[in-house]
Amino acid sequence: GSKNEVEGKTGFAHLFEHLMFNGSENHDSEFFEPLQDVGATGVNGTTWFDRTNYFETVPTPALELALWLESDRMGHLLGVVTQEKLDNQRGVVQNEKRQGDNRPYGTVEYRSLEGLFPEGHPYRWSTIGSMEDLNGASLDDVKAWFKQNYGPNNAVLALAGDIDLETARPMVEKFFGDIPPGPPLHALSRWVPTKVESVREQMSDRVPNARIYRQWAVPPRTERDTHLLRVVADILAGGKTSRLYRRLVYEEQLASDVSASVEQHELASIFSVEVDVRQGGDPARVEAARDEEITRLLAEDPTRDEVIGARATLNAALVRSLETLGGFSGKAPRLAKGALYAGDAGFWKTAAQWVNEAQPRLLRD
């Protein structure tokens, strides 16, 4: 992921994700084409702070094809990574960055990350990287990135669906077994910055209403407190019956929308509260009311009904995600994330247990 980059060479992880769809040595064409021919769905990849992932859902008879294509771009890619392909995908990524930056509130993330994380922290820059660094990415740079990071010793493979271990393991060994491991990798450890004072910043944009963010760096995704904070976020602003939504949107009509979330990452997570001020409204009044509700939740236990409701909401979201096999949040990515971050493919059960153990006093503590 982008945390494995260094300042001055940002955006490489995401740029290489794009290059991985442009053909390999034994299939020097678009990665999507043969999978579409056999009826595959959800073929995609994503990059974030901690990882790049690739996924597809295929009919069971096409599993060997999918494994061959995946193994070929892991073990046999660099021979067809050309300057032309790099320039083409660099342009695609830079256009993606322009689109993101030009949407309403699109540049807030850059300032938020710099406010939350100190100099030297690998979450201080965004995954998309800077235009300057993307422009400076050479063919040698991206090839070095591949050699350092794309060995099988740095990968997790998850299969879910109409397959069993006895059938799958020989197939995986057939296609991936001859790929040599990459160099030893430097593992980064937990780094949750401690703030001794609040950092406040105001940005201007041509938008119809103000948006107010309040954010904290909180523990990593594999820690119990992070999952208890997910319950807190739902109580605060998880829906139309939440504290902040009721007060700011319904009762005082100061805001048009409000949300709270925990963005989970490996070294530290981010707890966010976002409020869209009603057009023509007073941001200072919104902030005061928001902070009153946060302070009240810190001072007094939430009600038992609030905790039960939040747990039910989070459980329902988990069940819905597990109804799918792949994609962004189905069975396979759940297994892969558990293995990658916690060394336990079944970690999703542990996280769910922590959520369901949440009690009013426990949350306030």
Side-chain angles (χ1 to χ4, degrees):
S2 57
K3 80 170 188 301
N4 303 102
E5 301 162 349
V6 295
E7 292 187 70
K9 293 190 176 183
T10 62
F12 277 41
H14 179 235
L15 177 59
F16 215 98
E17 175 209 319
H18 280 248
L19 286 167
M20 287 279 279
F21 287 95
N22 274 191
S24 51
E25 292 170 7
N26 297 297
H27 174 68
D28 191 10
S29 185
E30 290 293 319
F31 183 82
F32 299 95
E33 292 171 352
L35 292 171
Q36 289 172 339
D37 290 344
V38 298
T41 60
V43 184
N44 212 329
T46 66
T47 307
W48 213 0
F49 289 134
D50 301 316
R51 90 294 177 271
T52 303
N53 69 342
Y54 303 91
F55 50 87
E56 55 269 336
T57 302
V58 299
T60 303
L63 177 59
E64 281 199 288
L65 172 65
L67 290 173
W68 174 71
L69 286 166
E70 288 289 2
S71 66
D72 205 55
R73 63 177 175 176
M74 173 184 282
H76 309 280
L77 185 85
L78 292 185
V80 295
V81 176
T82 63
Q83 187 67 48
E84 181 182 4
K85 287 182 180 180
L86 171 59
D87 292 341
N88 178 271
Q89 292 308 312
R90 187 203 323 269
V92 172
V93 170
Q94 289 181 323
N95 190 50
E96 186 179 324
K97 178 177 170 63
R98 290 186 195 98
Q99 289 177 334
D101 290 356
N102 289 327
R103 75 186 191 276
Y105 318 104
T107 58
V108 169
E109 181 194 24
Y110 307 139
R111 304 301 302 141
S112 292
L113 294 177
E114 290 178 7
L116 283 166
F117 299 107
E119 292 282 351
H121 198 291
Y123 291 170
R124 190 173 167 85
W125 57 85
S126 72
T127 297
I128 197 80
S130 73
M131 283 294 190
E132 294 77 14
D133 291 354
L134 289 167
N135 279 328
S138 69
L139 201 56
D140 286 342
D141 286 334
V142 296
K143 287 185 176 183
W145 175 265
F146 178 84
K147 291 175 182 177
Q148 176 64 43
N149 294 289
Y150 271 83
N153 52 313
N154 193 33
V156 171
L157 176 66
L159 303 180
D162 184 20
I163 189 72
D164 57 51
L165 183 61
E166 290 182 0
T167 306
R169 189 176 184 91
M171 294 170 66
V172 172
E173 289 176 345
K174 173 184 174 181
F175 292 109
F176 289 87
D178 68 337
I179 302 174
L185 292 153
H186 173 63
L188 300 173
S189 59
R190 182 188 197 275
W191 186 357
V192 184
T194 300
K195 308 292 287 186
V196 295
E197 60 183 12
S198 295
V199 176
R200 184 180 182 88
E201 184 164 346
Q202 182 171 318
M203 301 175 69
S204 297
D205 200 356
R206 293 188 297 274
V207 291
N209 57 311
R211 177 175 292 173
I212 303 172
Y213 300 79
R214 190 169 184 188
Q215 298 178 311
W216 297 261
V218 298
R221 63 186 309 143
T222 54
E223 295 189 21
R224 179 169 172 260
D225 281 354
T226 303
H227 297 276
L228 296 179
L229 283 169
R230 292 170 59 212
V231 181
V232 172
D234 193 80
I235 291 170
L236 265 179
K240 294 184 178 180
T241 61
S242 64
R243 293 187 179 196
L244 286 174
Y245 201 99
R246 285 201 318 268
R247 178 168 179 182
L248 295 176
V249 179
Y250 285 140
E251 296 170 5
E252 300 186 17
Q253 298 186 12
L254 297 171
S256 57
D257 196 21
V258 60
S259 64
S261 62
V262 182
E263 189 179 286
Q264 301 174 56
H265 299 295
E266 188 175 21
L267 307 183
S269 300
I270 301 171
F271 188 101
S272 299
V273 179
E274 298 179 17
V275 185
D276 286 345
V277 181
R278 187 177 292 276
Q279 192 168 1
D282 181 1
R285 285 186 63 194
V286 171
E287 284 199 73
R290 177 206 61 192
D291 291 348
E292 280 181 17
E293 291 300 322
I294 293 173
T295 300
R296 184 163 70 91
L297 186 57
L298 290 170
E300 305 170 6
D301 293 347
T303 68
R304 183 172 179 274
D305 285 347
E306 284 180 314
V307 175
I308 291 172
R311 292 191 321 220
T313 298
L314 295 172
N315 284 330
L318 173 62
V319 170
R320 283 193 295 270
S321 73
L322 292 175
E323 289 175 348
T324 60
L325 284 174
F328 296 95
S329 61
K331 294 181 178 68
R334 291 273 176 185
L335 296 172
K337 284 192 287 188
L340 178 64
Y341 298 121
D344 173 15
F347 178 75
W348 65 272
K349 297 178 184 177
T350 302
Q353 180 179 341
W354 286 336
V355 165
N356 287 304
E357 289 174 348
Q359 298 295 333
R361 175 50 64 89
L362 185 62
L363 292 178
R364 184 160 67 87
D365 291 345

